[in-house]
Amino acid sequence: MKHSTEKLNKMSKYTQLFTSILALFFSFQIQAQTDVYKDIEFNMPKVLETGFPNKSVNITEFGAKPDGIFKNTKAINDAISDINKKGGGKVIVPRGIWLTGPIYFKSNVNLHMEDGALILFSRDFDDYPLIETSFEGLNTTRNASPIMAHNVQNIAITGKGIIDGSGDAWRYVKRGKMTDAQWKKLVDSGGLVSQDGKMWFPSESSKLGHESSSNFNVPDKITKEDLVKVKDFLRPVMVSIVKSDRILLDGPTFQNSPAWNIHPLMSSNIIIRNLDIRNPWYSQNGDGLDLESCKNVLIYDNKFDVGDDAICIKAGKDKDGRDRAIPTENVIIKNNVVYHGHGGFVVGSEMSSGVKNVHVSGCTFIGTDIGLRFKTTRGRGGVVENIYISNIDMINIPSQTIGFNMFYDGNSPIIEEDQSSDAEARNEKLVPVTEETPAFRNIFFKNINVINSDEAAYFVGLPEMNLKNIVIENSNFETKKGITIIDSDEIILKNVTLKTTESGIPVTIYNSKNIDISTLEIDSKESVSLKVLGEKTTNVKIPENVKKNQKLLQTSKDLPKNAIK
């Protein structure tokens, strides 16, 4: 009896210890969730979270087979329908290779990927019907996405499994993005090469679609009825979440998407965390996450290694976007790592419904083409404002670490052998301000740390709509080239250190006003530190050492008197 009592006491202690550890774990989880809302500069609503009944089904109960050969489309969708009819719960995907066609979400379903689970989407394009949707901000026709969540509430994809979109079956590839050996292997695998030898297509239908398009991915040279002939070209995003509410993506790896990887559109109350988002670096339109016309969103603790923009904020394109009139707003982005990508954090170029109230902090960009990127062009319309970016570390950025370009024409920032040097050339022509005129204003950077990169900052507004009120403070840039400011109003660099390592004047200001770089510290081997140009330039406050030593300053003949303060 004594032995039995001692055993019970020992079990009780273990139970208490386990309970304490569990409570501590959940307290950490709650604290981590609370910290996401810490130090936010605007009134951020609490994101409504998902919740599911304690019910589950396993896809094997519906005939699914994990051999990578049997197509499990019906089994997975039957499991989703079953748990939905029961009021919601978890659909379990166990270890194995689960080949499938499109997965259609229903409300109150958590698709849970157990360790070792791999969902592999079919390479048979006939599995994906053409549907009316939105892509790159335009209303258009595309193939159905591998994962479709349209007009649903309270859904999740969780666990540690892998979701693979078989994107290599869909994507065309540019010759300039591959080595000779890679290109030979790709061509030898089948498909077709363009007449100029610069593009590989997986099929004749894909090649015809490209030839039928004058504007990127929309075949506008043929009728809507003929789109079926170019079906292979109409690559879908991998995860399409449209007009839905309370979304959780937590844990899995999302990789190898046909076009964009994850695309929440016109949705709300979204949490995206603990994901690995991957695409080959050469993948055309291989974005990681494109958040478009959404509100109340948390994006944190994710890793990106992709072929295009990593974390991209969008809001529709041109008239289609303006007619939609749904901005992206109330977004927190924290503690993400970006390896390869055209941009680490990006706004645009499709932003015609507007973007506002975005906080970005604690992110690290390693070798990303451009670090913090803002892009638009005439014709977009829309206002981007109240963006707060802080505590960002960047290393080995081959282009601009901070880049604003209101003349963006859609070209990749990668210097490819078939890309002209003036791919994003400016147009000086002054045009009237209308609803088609985009605007960037009230954007704040703090504690930006950059080493071993190419260009510190590049600000290019429109002559008729300058960049307005952009502030960088308490930041350090160690780059080859310095800072360019064009067609801008109220650019303030406060307690910023700039060290340039290559020849070239570190700071250039052109046709800009109300520029304050008086506390900028410039470390350069050049005999001239600052160049101020343009007949429209006024009210420029320059560093004290440049004031005292005019040899450090270069100006143009058309610069107005008293432009420099």
Side-chain angles (χ1 to χ4, degrees):
M1 185 70 178
K2 182 179 177 182
H3 177 73
S4 180
T5 302
E6 287 176 353
K7 187 175 181 181
L8 284 172
N9 287 337
K10 185 177 288 187
M11 288 178 64
S12 177
K13 288 180 181 179
Y14 284 137
T15 302
Q16 290 174 9
L17 180 62
F18 176 75
T19 303
S20 298
I21 292 171
L22 199 62
L24 187 62
F25 170 77
F26 282 116
S27 72
F28 282 144
Q29 291 288 91
I30 293 169
Q31 182 64 37
Q33 181 76 349
T34 302
D35 286 346
V36 174
Y37 296 98
K38 186 178 179 181
D39 299 326
I40 303 304
E41 299 84 353
F42 48 87
N43 184 20
M44 176 71 189
K46 288 291 178 74
V47 175
L48 299 179
E49 298 188 34
T50 54
F52 303 95
N54 188 24
K55 299 175 185 175
S56 65
V57 296
N58 194 305
I59 61 172
T60 57
E61 298 172 33
F62 298 85
K65 298 178 182 179
D67 57 8
I69 299 171
F70 179 78
K71 199 173 288 185
N72 294 291
T73 313
K74 185 177 186 302
I76 294 173
N77 285 295
D78 283 352
I80 288 172
S81 295
D82 181 78
I83 203 71
N84 167 263
K85 289 175 184 176
K86 292 176 179 176
K90 187 181 292 185
V91 171
I92 297 173
V93 181
R95 182 180 185 86
I97 302 174
W98 308 95
L99 180 67
T100 182
I103 293 173
Y104 296 91
F105 259 91
K106 295 187 176 182
S107 295
N108 304 312
V109 173
N110 175 7
L111 184 69
H112 183 73
M113 309 276 294
E114 291 189 338
D115 289 359
L118 168 61
I119 289 179
L120 180 65
F121 283 100
S122 165
R123 302 167 72 92
D124 182 353
F125 297 166
D126 289 338
D127 288 337
Y128 307 88
L130 290 176
I131 62 169
E132 296 302 308
T133 185
S134 175
F135 182 61
E136 294 191 325
L138 297 175
N139 302 327
T140 186
T141 302
R142 310 292 291 182
N143 284 285
S145 291
I147 295 179
M148 303 272 288
H150 292 193
N151 295 292
V152 297
Q153 292 78 42
N154 190 42
I155 66 164
I157 303 176
T158 61
K160 293 296 183 182
I162 299 170
I163 297 174
D164 189 302
S166 294
D168 51 313
W170 295 86
R171 290 189 298 264
Y172 60 88
V173 179
K174 292 181 178 179
R175 171 69 181 89
K177 292 189 176 184
M178 286 192 155
T179 65
D180 290 343
Q182 289 172 327
W183 180 253
K184 184 179 184 304
K185 182 178 179 181
L186 181 65
V187 172
D188 289 346
S189 70
L192 300 96
V193 177
S194 61
Q195 190 171 355
D196 61 8
K198 294 182 178 180
M199 198 92 74
W200 173 88
F201 298 93
S203 69
E204 182 65 44
S205 173
S206 178
K207 183 172 179 286
L208 179 61
H210 185 269
E211 293 169 349
S212 303
S213 304
S214 62
N215 184 22
F216 288 93
N217 298 302
V218 179
D220 53 351
K221 295 181 180 179
I222 57 177
T223 65
K224 190 172 182 179
E225 290 71 28
D226 285 334
L227 288 178
V228 66
K229 298 177 183 178
V230 298
K231 186 178 187 297
D232 297 6
F233 179 73
L234 303 174
R235 297 168 293 132
V237 302
M238 185 165 76
V239 182
S240 176
I241 302 168
V242 181
K243 294 182 179 178
S244 297
D245 184 61
R246 282 191 295 152
I247 313 297
L248 173 65
L249 304 180
D250 184 4
T253 294
F254 292 83
Q255 67 178 34
N256 197 17
S257 57
W260 297 347
N261 204 313
I262 299 173
H263 182 208
L265 172 65
M266 294 184 284
S267 296
S268 56
N269 294 302
I270 302 167
I271 299 175
I272 296 173
R273 65 189 180 205
N274 304 318
L275 304 184
D276 280 321
I277 299 176
R278 311 192 311 165
N279 272 330
W281 78 270
Y282 56 80
S283 57
Q284 195 70 22
N285 309 112
D287 296 30
L289 168 64
D290 291 88
L291 186 74
E292 182 174 1
S293 293
C294 293
K295 67 178 180 180
N296 304 341
V297 182
L298 305 179
I299 301 166
Y300 61 99
D301 294 342
N302 303 289
K303 294 178 182 177
F304 296 82
D305 193 343
V306 295
D308 208 312
D309 293 330
I311 305 169
C312 195
I313 308 299
K314 297 181 180 291
K317 184 175 181 179
D318 300 344
K319 187 178 185 302
D320 284 355
R322 294 193 299 274
D323 289 347
R324 180 193 297 166
I326 303 174
T328 293
E329 59 185 322
N330 302 331
V331 180
I332 297 175
I333 300 169
K334 285 190 172 184
N335 305 330
N336 299 283
V337 177
V338 179
Y339 297 97
H340 186 270
H342 285 186
F345 167 77
V346 180
V347 177
S349 67
E350 306 95 78
M351 36 63 71
S352 301
S353 281
V355 176
K356 60 184 177 181
N357 297 344
V358 179
H359 170 102
V360 184
S361 67
C363 296
T364 302
F365 303 152
I366 304 172
T368 306
D369 290 346
I370 296 179
L372 301 162
R373 189 181 195 191
F374 297 78
K375 52 182 177 174
T376 186
T377 192
R378 287 170 172 147
R380 291 282 190 271
V383 177
V384 173
E385 62 185 345
N386 304 337
I387 314 295
Y388 304 87
I389 300 174
S390 61
N391 302 312
I392 307 295
D393 293 311
M394 296 185 243
I395 184 171
N396 301 333
I397 307 299
S399 188
Q400 299 134 15
T401 64
I402 297 176
F404 286 81
N405 190 352
M406 297 184 76
F407 284 97
Y408 179 75
D409 66 1
N411 286 291
S412 161
I414 296 176
I415 305 301
E416 301 165 5
E417 63 180 32
D418 61 344
Q419 183 175 336
S420 64
S421 60
D422 61 346
E424 296 188 8
R426 299 176 68 254
N427 180 353
E428 291 282 0
K429 182 181 177 183
L430 191 66
V431 301
V433 173
T434 69
E435 66 173 4
E436 296 183 0
T437 307
F440 285 129
R441 64 194 185 206
N442 305 332
I443 300 173
F444 307 96
F445 302 86
K446 185 168 61 176
N447 301 330
I448 310 298
N449 187 46
V450 177
I451 63 169
N452 194 34
S453 295
D454 186 68
E455 185 173 6
Y458 184 71
F459 301 93
V460 178
L462 295 171
E464 69 275 11
M465 183 60 72
N466 287 184
L467 297 174
K468 176 78 171 176
N469 192 23
I470 313 296
V471 180
I472 303 176
E473 62 178 308
N474 301 335
S475 298
N476 300 292
F477 298 87
E478 189 261 336
T479 54
K480 294 176 182 177
K481 298 188 286 286
I483 297 169
T484 301
I485 301 171
I486 300 172
D487 289 330
S488 299
D489 182 4
E490 288 187 64
I491 305 294
I492 300 171
L493 307 183
K494 184 178 180 182
N495 298 324
V496 172
T497 299
L498 171 65
K499 180 180 180 180
T500 59
T501 59
E502 281 193 357
S503 60
I505 296 174
V507 180
T508 299
I509 299 170
Y510 173 76
N511 276 355
S512 296
K513 54 185 178 288
N514 305 315
I515 308 300
D516 187 348
I517 59 170
S518 57
T519 61
L520 175 65
E521 293 186 18
I522 301 173
D523 180 354
S524 170
K525 297 175 183 178
E526 288 295 302
S527 58
V528 175
S529 296
L530 172 62
K531 180 163 60 175
V532 184
L533 314 167
E535 61 183 6
K536 297 178 183 178
T537 296
T538 60
N539 193 26
V540 177
K541 297 179 181 179
I542 64 176
E544 192 65 30
N545 69 312
V546 179
K547 279 185 191 177
K548 291 179 179 178
N549 183 359
Q550 290 292 304
K551 292 181 179 179
L552 297 174
L553 175 65
Q554 184 181 110
T555 60
S556 62
K557 292 180 180 179
D558 61 348
L559 188 71
K561 290 182 179 180
N562 303 318
I564 297 175
K565 302 296 183 183

